[in-house]
Amino acid sequence: MRKDVHRVLLDREAIASRVTALGRAIADDLESTGGPSREIVLVPILTGSIVFVADLIRHLPQRLRIGVMSVSSYPGRSLESKSALIHGSLPDDLAGRHVLIVDDILDTGQTLALVRRIVLEHHAAQVRTCVLLRKSRPRVEEVDVDYVGFDIPDVFVVGYGLDYNDYYRNLPDLVTLRPEAMR
Ligand code: 5GP
Ligand code: MG
């Protein structure tokens, strides 16, 4: 796997300190705005956000629950994200809850916009969004993101949960791949 790496974009130490800061910001906001119920429901979008969300929740001292959603591009190689498909379902008692949708990366914006709409249909009291990475490129769908880990250039990245053809999720750093590895 190491030989497939072109460049380390963000190393594990940089990620860890940013995730700590994000967790604190989310926890502080919740303390100040949560009202009587400071409980939140985290909605991680599978599979890319698993590593991020595993680290993030350990910086959130509040009572929380997790309801995962699975949104995938149409089958095949996914260097570009295509129309999203939703799988699975949310907890059925989201009404009145504070929900935080968590994804690995904001690219075209379609995934986050779609999940946000679905959560809102469940009458959540408040829906916030958090992504580890935000690519600098035009969005197909505009979506407000409340918490962003890093702004990155428009390059394809893997590691820390993000994949290429389902591989490389276990790399601890966020990296770009050599072109030979993406054939
Ligand atoms: P969007 O719907 O915003 O276009 O796409 C978001 C999804 O596309 C992410 O959750 C991720 O699955 C995938 N994606 C977008 N850019 C990248 C990237 O650079 N690397 C990887 N591994 N996945 C990406
Ligand atoms: Mg994804």
Side-chain angles (χ1 to χ4, degrees), residues 45-49 71 103-105 111:
I45 302 174
L46 297 180
T47 305
S49 71
V71 180
D103 203 3
D104 51 1
I105 185 163
T111 304

Side-chain angles (χ1 to χ4, degrees), residues 26-166:
I26 294 166
D28 288 353
D29 287 353
L30 213 57
E31 277 305 315
S32 55
T33 62
S37 157
R38 294 203 175 98
E39 207 175 303
I40 45 169
V41 180
L42 249 65
V43 177
I45 302 174
L46 297 180
T47 305
S49 71
I50 57 168
V51 179
F52 175 38
V53 91
D55 284 345
L56 186 67
I57 56 173
R58 282 174 281 179
H59 298 288
L60 300 175
Q62 282 83 10
R63 273 166 68 81
L64 67 81
R65 291 182 300 153
I66 297 179
V68 299
M69 294 226 60
S70 178
V71 180
S72 58
S73 301
Y74 289 115
R77 300 196 162 203
S78 54
L79 275 184
E80 296 161 20
S81 25
K82 297 158 202 151
S83 309
L85 291 172
I86 286 271
H87 308 275
S89 60
L90 289 165
D92 53 14
D93 59 345
L94 286 185
R97 305 284 175 191
H98 291 245
V99 176
L100 180 67
I101 302 169
V102 183
D103 203 3
D104 51 1
I105 185 163
L106 182 75
D107 186 16
T108 67
Q110 287 165 295
T111 304
L112 211 54
L114 178 65
V115 174
R116 196 165 186 284
R117 276 198 297 275
I118 291 170
V119 172
L120 281 169
E121 280 166 14
H122 285 70
H123 308 289
Q126 181 196 59
V127 184
R128 287 195 168 149
T129 52
C130 173
V131 295
L132 177 67
L133 307 168
R134 177 169 62 188
K135 273 194 193 179
S136 96
R137 56 152 288 163
R139 310 273 170 248
V140 174
E141 285 216 47
E142 277 308 324
V143 50
D144 283 339
V145 186
D146 300 287
Y147 305 98
V148 177
F150 300 92
D151 280 294
I152 63 164
D154 188 9
V155 292
F156 189 80
V157 292
V158 300
Y160 197 72
L162 287 88
D163 74 304
Y164 175 69
N165 281 348
D166 240 2

